[in-house]
Amino acid sequence: MRNTIAAALLCLALLSGCQGKGLAVIPQDPHTLERYSLGLRYKQQGRYLLAREQFQLALATSRDMDMSRSCQAEIAAMDRAIREER
């Protein structure tokens, strides 16, 4: 019994030493998500200048590269839509 407990504790000690740094997840800022969704809503309504402004606000407060890339892509799409309207 003692040997089993000692072996289990030794395994736990070895495993805890082998753990690397875990994946850090940074949650999105609620303001960013709100601005992005508002930009999408304006885009669907055809209000491209307002949508572009909302995507820029979302880009300014984004916390990760995925959201930044999404905002930049939407801004570029709004620029193209605005140019086509003129």
Side-chain angles (χ1 to χ4, degrees):
M1 182 73 169
R2 274 190 188 171
N3 289 340
T4 307
I5 294 173
L9 290 175
L10 180 62
C11 287
L12 287 175
L14 290 174
L15 288 176
S16 66
C18 295
Q19 292 178 352
K21 294 183 179 179
L23 177 65
V25 177
I26 302 172
Q28 278 299 333
D29 180 38
H31 182 265
T32 303
L33 296 174
E34 183 179 337
R35 296 293 149 210
Y36 189 79
S37 67
L38 190 56
L40 291 175
R41 195 172 321 139
Y42 286 149
K43 178 182 172 182
Q44 288 175 345
Q45 295 171 358
R47 302 168 75 183
Y48 300 130
L49 289 173
L50 288 173
R52 187 181 192 286
E53 183 179 329
Q54 295 303 314
F55 291 131
Q56 285 179 322
L57 291 171
L59 177 62
T61 58
S62 68
R63 294 183 179 175
D64 64 357
M65 290 303 296
D66 290 333
M67 180 57 88
S68 296
R69 286 185 192 121
S70 296
C71 291
Q72 290 169 351
E74 291 295 341
I75 290 169
M78 292 303 93
D79 287 340
R80 286 190 301 273
I82 292 168
R83 268 187 260 123
E84 289 175 5
E85 290 282 319
R86 293 183 182 174

